[in-house]
């Protein structure tokens, strides 16, 4: 299971506590539910989601006439998988063979955008695809250089202009280069400054329009990158960007660094957006396509 190692902190904080609770209390009663609620909220599953989950569990326990806490664990896994599933479709949307797939990455500074682009470039390249990256974060000092470092590491070219230039112009260049060089995938970084939110949204919209003018089907994905270690903060960012910038899916990074992996469940339950990719470390290979069943099994296995 590809998620197992990366989720070890969450497993310790969340599942081991649930297991301890089950062993200690043995019977399902009010106090049991209360303690379970606390554990779930502590793992950042989110208050609303926890309430729904506990209500569902109560109903199921009644229906199946369960009394022993030990019998609850499989039902809990089942319910968690259910919450994560919904209508989700974790596969990235790709252009038909022979056409350019454009993926735009948005999100605030420091969440792991550049790293995710580098990792994804590596993944596509190892699948035999021709990849190009666009340095659309012309605002943050060092952002362009950082993308270039990833470009060298994975052997992928970066289209850039000087720091401070118009990101929409960078995207225009990048799309032209992608056409000329017949690339399969164009991965576009964008600025993530949080001050001046309106301007940032306008900037993203302009980038969007430039890309669409050149390639009417693009961008195929607008992925909002969120840092799992920020817990409920990630959820607020998802709401902010989700409303304003045509986000089509989520990337949740740094799951390896947090005990609060429950945030995946909260986000999935409160947003109508799928988690498409998860970051499980800083290395090239530490990016996985999200799979709700494997994710929950990694927690309980
Ligand atoms: P950006 O500002 O959004 O482009 O963020 P960066 O890509 O520069 O990432 C910020 C920091 O988070 C860097 O130190 C990355 O190495 C680290 N990082 C990114 N993704 C992950 C991940 O999945 N796990 C861990 N542990 N660190 C990550």
């Amino acid at each position: 299971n590809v998620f197992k190692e990366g989720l070890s902190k969450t497993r310790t904080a969340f599942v081991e506590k649930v297991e301890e609770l089950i062993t200690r209390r043995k019977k399902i009663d009010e106090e049991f539910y209360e303690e379970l609620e606390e554990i779930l909220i502590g793992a950042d599953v989110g208050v609303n989601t926890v309430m729904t989950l506990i209500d569902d569990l109560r109903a199921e326990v009644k229906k199946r006439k369960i009394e022993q806490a030990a019998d609850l664990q499989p039902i809990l896994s089942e319910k968690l998988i259910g919450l994560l599933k919904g209508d989700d479709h974790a596969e990235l949307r790709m252009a038909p063979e022979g056409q350019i797939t454009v993926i735009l990455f948005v999100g605030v500074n420091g969440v792991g955008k550049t790293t995710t682009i580098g990792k994804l470039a590596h993944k596509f390249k190892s699948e035999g695809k021709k990849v190009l990256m666009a340095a659309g974060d012309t605002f943050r000092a060092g952002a362009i250089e950082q993308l270039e470092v990833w470009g060298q590491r994975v052997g992928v070219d970066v289209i850039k202009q000087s720091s401070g230039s118009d990101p929409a112009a960078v995207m225009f260049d990048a799309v032209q280069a992608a056409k000329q060089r017949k690339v399969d995938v164009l991965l576009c970084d964008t600025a993530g400054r949080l001050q001046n939110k309106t301007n940032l949204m306008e900037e993203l919209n302009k980038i969007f329009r430039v890309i669409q003018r050149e390639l009417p089907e693009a961008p195929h994905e607008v992925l909002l990158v969120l840092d799992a270690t920020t817990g409920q903060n990630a959820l607020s960012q998802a709401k902010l960007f989700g409303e304003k910038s045509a986000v089509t899916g989520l990337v949740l990074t740094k799951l390896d660094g947090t005990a609060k992996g429950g945030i995946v469940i909260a986000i999935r339950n409160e947003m109508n957006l799928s988690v498409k990719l998860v970051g499980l470390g800083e290395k090239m290979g530490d990016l996985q396509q999200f799979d709700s069943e494997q994710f929950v099994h990694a927690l309980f296995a």
Side-chain angles (χ1 to χ4, degrees):
N1 187 309
V2 291
F3 299 111
K4 202 163 176 186
E5 207 185 299
L7 288 178
S8 63
K9 286 193 183 160
T10 299
R11 194 161 59 232
T12 309
F14 170 53
V15 182
E16 286 180 10
K17 277 188 194 155
V18 173
E19 278 166 1
E20 188 276 330
L21 172 67
I22 287 172
T23 326
R24 176 163 47 80
R25 298 210 66 93
K26 296 188 178 65
K27 291 250 177 268
I28 303 175
D29 51 20
E30 266 322 295
E31 280 146 24
F32 176 86
Y33 282 123
E34 262 167 43
E35 282 194 50
L36 182 60
E37 206 173 287
E38 261 170 51
I39 295 170
L40 288 163
I41 290 173
D44 246 337
V45 176
V47 179
N48 295 342
T49 311
V50 171
M51 294 308 164
T52 317
L53 189 61
I54 298 279
D55 285 348
D56 277 6
L57 281 177
R58 280 181 197 272
E60 206 61 35
V61 162
K62 231 182 188 167
K63 198 171 111 198
R64 300 197 204 178
K65 300 193 169 57
I66 291 167
E67 286 172 10
Q68 300 301 320
D71 297 332
L72 194 83
Q73 185 138 332
I75 303 175
L76 181 61
S77 314
E78 221 172 86
K79 293 284 165 202
L80 289 174
I81 292 173
L83 281 178
L84 282 171
K85 262 200 166 149
D87 60 345
D88 87 357
H89 190 68
E91 296 273 332
L92 292 175
R93 191 162 84 88
M94 304 291 288
E97 191 78 26
Q99 292 178 31
I100 307 166
T101 299
V102 181
I103 306 179
L104 203 62
F105 291 81
V106 301
V108 307
N109 281 341
V111 291
K113 270 198 307 289
T114 315
T115 308
T116 302
I117 293 171
K119 288 172 177 174
L120 197 58
H122 168 68
K123 182 175 175 288
F124 281 131
K125 209 183 164 216
S126 61
E127 291 167 3
K129 294 192 165 70
K130 192 159 183 198
V131 186
L132 193 62
M133 307 197 278
D137 185 355
T138 58
F139 189 82
R140 177 167 70 88
I144 300 170
E145 292 74 16
Q146 202 190 333
L147 197 64
E148 285 186 303
V149 169
W150 270 103
Q152 277 155 15
R153 201 177 290 162
V154 301
V156 164
D157 284 347
V158 177
I159 300 298
K160 57 162 189 178
Q161 288 186 8
S162 53
S163 180
S165 58
D166 180 359
V170 178
M171 292 308 161
F172 180 84
D173 282 359
V175 173
Q176 299 312 319
K179 285 179 177 172
Q180 270 162 21
R181 303 181 194 185
K182 297 192 168 27
V183 310
D184 300 300
V185 189
L186 174 63
L187 303 173
C188 309
D189 197 8
T190 64
R193 60 183 185 279
L194 200 51
Q195 66 275 36
N196 238 331
K197 274 175 212 144
T198 331
N199 283 347
L200 177 57
M201 296 306 165
E202 274 167 19
E203 180 176 309
L204 291 173
N205 283 332
K206 191 172 165 199
I207 288 172
F208 205 89
R209 285 197 304 274
V210 166
I211 294 174
Q212 237 164 21
R213 201 163 55 220
E214 300 304 308
L215 293 168
E217 300 297 317
H220 298 79
E221 293 276 6
V222 180
L223 298 180
L224 172 62
V225 184
L226 300 167
D227 176 346
T229 64
T230 63
Q232 295 300 309
N233 220 337
L235 185 60
S236 348
Q237 285 168 22
K239 287 180 176 163
L240 176 77
F241 276 85
E243 278 166 12
K244 295 198 174 154
S245 61
V247 171
T248 57
L250 306 172
V251 181
L252 218 53
T253 63
K254 312 187 198 180
L255 271 171
D256 54 304
T258 181
K260 299 188 166 228
I263 192 65
V264 180
I265 299 160
I267 288 176
R268 187 65 198 87
N269 194 44
E270 293 195 29
M271 302 288 304
N272 200 14
L273 285 169
S274 314
V275 177
K276 300 224 167 177
L277 299 166
V278 293
L280 297 162
E282 292 186 278
K283 293 194 299 293
M284 239 185 255
D286 296 332
L287 184 76
Q288 291 295 339
Q289 196 160 310
F290 187 66
D291 178 307
S292 48
E293 253 169 73
Q294 278 204 40
F295 183 84
V296 173
H297 288 151
L299 286 180
F300 287 99

